[in-house]
Amino acid sequence: MTELTFQDIVDDGAILFLETHQMQGDRFEEWGYERWNTEDQFASVEFHFPGRSSKHLHTAFVGTSAPGAKSFLWAWANPNVAATPAQQEVFDQVVAFGRHYGIEELTNGEIPFTAIVPAYADEEVRLSAEKAGATLVAFKIATAVKMITGKANHFTSDIGGGSMAVVAYDNGHLELGPPSALTFQMRLMEAVTGGMIEDHRRAVESYARFRLQTPVTEPSPGTVEVTFDDGRATIAFDENNRLTTMNASLTGSN
């Protein structure tokens, strides 16, 4: 069995997750998003867009990231949540995947922040970024669930006290457009600076495989090139697979 860690899964999907997350934000802004509400433990969510028809989505509540408890609580381990069929399907896939690869972050009901974001163990980091830590944990969990289940979209939202809810859903109105070299560069830098990814090269190569469905090329040792319809990006890495430089050549936009 191939060894796989929770962070490997996040590295594999982080750039794609952030691209999807940004697309969702842009679309909601375009539609005039005002607020959301749920009355049934996230079994369905209503998004309100003044001047437009509100959208009801069938969702799967994944869990909550809480800075007070400094942990992520999977919804299946929350005694206050009665799983819907959609939720149970997500839970079954995630837990089965975790058991197969021996990944405790996917099989234990409550996970400390330090297991998902090791830097959170640093007292200075913890004290200066309580809410940011909860958001980063939520993003990492959502990325892993996206990669395991194939659920197209996720949203994370503050539900009070800095706690973040993670919810998965499918919606045909929120499909990604064609991949773009410019978008890729922005989301890669966001993943790096935000602490989403640890193996930067793995993240780039996985994005090319999953999003572009083509492998990267290696023009020289330690350097990979990713090709898009509107240009290409050349990225160099150090001996620890961390990004050192990135150069872009844009030929136009779709």
Side-chain angles (χ1 to χ4, degrees):
M1 181 172 64
T2 303
E3 183 178 353
L4 190 69
T5 68
F6 176 81
Q7 185 60 47
D8 287 341
I9 304 169
V10 176
D11 288 342
D12 286 343
I15 302 173
L16 178 58
F17 169 79
L18 291 172
E19 185 177 3
T20 305
H21 191 267
Q22 182 65 48
M23 173 274 299
Q24 175 183 263
D26 290 344
R27 192 65 53 83
F28 277 21
E29 182 178 358
E30 173 190 335
W31 292 341
Y33 170 74
E34 181 182 72
R35 61 187 173 85
W36 65 271
N37 71 280
T38 180
E39 298 179 351
D40 48 9
Q41 288 290 350
F42 297 98
S44 64
V45 171
E46 181 180 16
F47 291 103
H48 294 268
F49 302 95
R52 299 177 64 104
S53 298
S54 293
K55 298 183 182 297
H56 295 263
L57 302 176
H58 293 294
T59 58
F61 175 38
V62 174
T64 49
S65 175
K70 304 179 186 63
S71 65
F72 181 85
L73 179 64
W74 288 99
W76 58 262
N78 188 333
N80 297 316
V81 175
T84 65
Q87 286 174 302
Q88 195 62 54
E89 180 182 2
V90 169
F91 301 158
D92 289 347
Q93 289 183 63
V94 170
V95 173
F97 188 95
R99 286 176 178 163
H100 179 75
Y101 288 101
I103 301 174
E104 293 185 353
E105 293 90 337
L106 304 177
T107 57
N108 291 348
E110 188 168 7
I111 312 299
F113 279 5
T114 51
I116 301 173
V117 184
Y120 204 79
D122 184 281
E123 186 72 5
E124 184 177 346
V125 172
R126 184 184 68 77
L127 292 175
S128 65
E130 289 276 335
K131 185 174 179 179
T135 300
L136 179 56
V137 166
F139 274 25
K140 285 192 170 189
I141 289 287
T143 299
V145 172
K146 178 181 179 67
M147 295 302 292
I148 294 167
T149 67
K151 288 287 185 182
N153 300 291
H154 293 77
F155 76 92
T156 59
S157 181
D158 191 330
I159 55 174
S163 292
M164 304 293 294
V166 179
V167 180
Y169 67 96
D170 292 310
N171 187 290
H173 297 293
L174 290 170
E175 294 182 352
L176 286 171
S180 160
L182 181 60
T183 297
F184 163 76
Q185 292 175 78
M186 291 189 294
R187 299 292 82 82
L188 171 58
M189 291 310 301
E190 184 181 351
V192 170
T193 59
M196 279 281 284
I197 58 179
E198 293 183 10
D199 187 329
H200 300 170
R201 179 165 182 158
R202 180 184 181 116
V204 169
E205 292 180 345
S206 295
Y207 177 86
R209 183 168 72 255
F210 292 117
R211 176 75 161 111
L212 308 177
Q213 299 184 341
T214 58
V216 300
T217 57
E218 189 172 4
S220 62
T223 302
V224 301
E225 188 173 84
V226 187
T227 303
F228 299 80
D229 288 343
D230 64 347
R232 64 172 55 89
T234 304
I235 307 109
F237 305 92
D238 64 17
E239 63 277 9
N240 297 313
N241 286 337
R242 297 184 68 81
L243 184 149
T244 57
T245 61
M246 178 165 56
N247 297 302
S249 173
L250 300 179
T251 58
S253 57
N254 292 326

